[in-house]
Amino acid sequence: MAVKIGLLGLGTVGTGTAQILLDPTGRNPLLEEITISKVGVRSPDKPRQVELSEGVITTDLESIVNDPEIAIVVELLGGLEPARSLILQAIANKKHVVTANKAVIARYGDEIYEAANEAGVYVLLEAAVGGGIPIIKPLKQSLGANRIVSIIGIINGTTNYILTKMTSDGADFGEVLAEAQQLGYAEADPTADVDGLDAADKIAILASLGFAGRVKREDIYCEGIREISATDITYAEQLGFVIKLLAIAQGTEGENSQQLELRVHPTLVPKNHPLASINGVYNAVLVEGKPLGQVMFFGPGAGAGPTASAVVSDIMNIVAILKSSGTNNNLDPLLSCVHQHFCQITPIEAINTRFYARFLTKDLPGVIGYLGTTFGDHQVSLESVVQIGFQGELAEIVVVTHYVREGNFNTALDEIRNLEAIDSIPSIVRVL
Amino acid sequence: MAVKIGLLGLGTVGTGTAQILLDPTGRNPLLEEITISKVGVRSPDKPRQVELSEGVITTDLESIVNDPEIAIVVELLGGLEPARSLILQAIANKKHVVTANKAVIARYGDEIYEAANEAGVYVLLEAAVGGGIPIIKPLKQSLGANRIVSIIGIINGTTNYILTKMTSDGADFGEVLAEAQQLGYAEADPTADVDGLDAADKIAILASLGFAGRVKREDIYCEGIREISATDITYAEQLGFVIKLLAIAQGTEGENSQQLELRVHPTLVPKNHPLASINGVYNAVLVEGKPLGQVMFFGPGAGAGPTASAVVSDIMNIVAILKSSGTNNNLDPLLSCVHQHFCQITPIEAINTRFYARFLTKDLPGVIGYLGTTFGDHQVSLESVVQIGFQGELAEIVVVTHYVREGNFNTALDEIRNLEAIDSIPSIVRVL
């Protein structure tokens, strides 16, 4: 007996998903046992790139999550509402859910997984992070034998495209953003991407899986790439780095318990680091575990085909379980969400990191001494101080620190800012 | 109720596996529900790096596969026998099997999966390919929505270490092999690694999963790295390539049906290709699918910790299914082996590839013309002909072809070999 599914949304990913399901030849035979029963859309008369049987398309989204014949609801609407309410309604009706919606899961994962556990249904979300890259299921199923040390990802294709282009062309942010918008790599309102919000949604999900605890989305420190200049990219290059927007989840031993550092920000990445060569719209996630060591997952982080590949893999996963298990089974503990506590997130001031900072100064010899002394007073030890160029009358000094407590670094910077000889501090970027 | 497992073998991987299972804190809570019931070894008095309860260690391997209390048998003996017989006996006793044994699965997968399907048990083998890299489960579960186009891997750490070292040090094969043997990266008898046999076992397994058909191990064309010289690595470098031992499975449209190219050989890889930067003992597998595009999995391809991580993930996977499903269920079609037919393998003479060939010649101007004509007579079109150096009196000419049918290239070479002006053809390497 075929398993009936309902799709919410028929945009690019929805269309890609339907195209795979309607053309199973040469793919896994399990696809032949899946029927698209209903597809919910806003505009029923819009031309579509996929041919659906008559009566399949509807504008009544609620009729899909309430349809007793539908076993799996596939939510591809994006955005918070009505996605959240429809997911919850589907769960209440004991339907399994597949979603690509990182924003809803990062904010309401809590509520959604509690409801799903109670109803005994799965909520799978492989497509929510890294597009077509298998990363959610490997974290759940393949890496669980490990103590996870860190998860570091380039998980926003738009910003990686912009930074790659800025690096290759020596162009400035605004210029490349406009071009990315024209090419369809960036949205008209690019906020979610360039300010790091999308990456923060995604690292919230990965951290929650890797470190087995819930994550409050608002606890994630988040800094975008608007302030990155061509100048900094050039200086970084000279120092042996490329600049990437990284999403970082890292376990640290707190005073009383396991703590988690959770942050999204532009980062100087050493050129020989595996993430340094991930360019363009590609995504990559580097997971370090004990005793595993480092593994990296790399691939297309967005796009109709890759994302649909991940969506369909989740559908197949549920269908496989439905076909192999009897009724009245418990949820597979590796595929469901069993943790209940919240991770303790280290405040950004308390993290230890290295910094790159660029200063514009008037009085060069005096300033170098002063920088050293002031940083030293606040336990900030410098790895290098380089006078790297001039901008008009002003000398440009670049400093790279050793690992420092972020709070100490900031206190030192506040003092330095007040010095008469310091014209400005145009950039501060963390170093991996 | 804890699930009882029996380990066959307590070498490096067996020890790593036991260490994870005996120290579950901070890992997936499912590990706490697994008990090591028996461990079969050859030498019971050997000192071990893991503390097992009294009575757990036994030299009677059959008592493990016949123990009615044991639900999962973990085979970490390596080699063909007694591994094969013990696996089959465990299956006959309706025990699930986890194995890291690529040699047994590549040769007897057929027999083993038929028995497993009949008995209704799983045989999982994540550790058999790519050590700690999750690749088997992603191929089964996450990429099944795709039509797989190709699977290309660097899946033997020993040869990758040797080639990397030859490249960085300009050293010759024999020299680096001796060093690798001292460091424990190569075995005293390096045949399985350096002649490509281990990689062939592994690509047989990956191809079978990706292309959903059984593979006859003896159909795989296999060429090792003994003939690769420092000279060729240098020339490859000048032409923009690095030399890697690749295992390649590639679908092609045959005259009547879907065909599969399946081969292991040293290959010139363009420097900007994702596999070109995989160095040392690391492994990587690049999978291309439609509509997915390319994804790459990268990580430590061997070693106690990484391999044990994969072994334990398989054990956890089975335990999760045992705990969630009722009794009398069917096998999950994504985790079991459902295909029955054999893939049709294209003979090596019929594949299309590019070639790099190095000639030592006496009469330079005459030979270049002759090479062009003879290759042309056999539909071999040349991308470049470079006179690249001298060895004593002999001129060294390097040729890179466009895509050619391998059989045509060989026929042309046979003619060229007979020319008086050709001293020898020291190297022929395929180009990706």
Side-chain angles (χ1 to χ4, degrees), chain B residues 140-182:
Chain B
K140 286 179 174 179
Q141 294 195 315
S142 302
L143 305 180
N146 292 276
R147 294 192 182 105
I148 301 299
V149 175
S150 62
I151 301 173
I152 307 181
I154 293 175
I155 47 180
N156 179 273
T158 305
T159 46
N160 203 46
Y161 171 83
I162 293 174
L163 290 172
T164 302
K165 199 77 182 148
M166 286 174 70
T167 305
S168 62
D169 299 1
D172 259 316
F173 172 77
E175 205 178 312
V176 179
L177 171 62
E179 191 191 310
Q181 284 171 320
Q182 275 192 332

Side-chain angles (χ1 to χ4, degrees), chain A residues 376-399:
Chain A
D377 287 350
H378 294 279
Q379 287 82 50
V380 179
S381 134
L382 299 181
E383 188 183 291
S384 58
V385 183
V386 191
Q387 193 255 310
I388 215 153
F390 283 94
Q391 290 209 6
E393 305 262 294
L394 299 171
E396 210 157 25
I397 299 178
V398 165
V399 158

Side-chain angles (χ1 to χ4, degrees), chain A residues 25 141 147 296 298 326 329, chain B residues 25 141 147 296 298 309 326 329:
Chain A
T25 318
Q141 295 195 313
R147 295 192 182 104
M296 191 170 82
F298 160 87
N329 294 308
Chain B
T25 318
Q141 294 195 315
R147 294 192 182 105
M296 191 170 82
F298 161 87
S309 160
N329 295 307

Side-chain angles (χ1 to χ4, degrees), chain A residues 188-212:
Chain A
D189 176 1
T191 309
D193 291 318
V194 302
D195 293 337
L197 311 176
D198 172 77
D201 286 349
K202 291 168 175 169
I203 195 71
I205 294 169
L206 296 181
S208 176
L209 293 170
F211 293 92

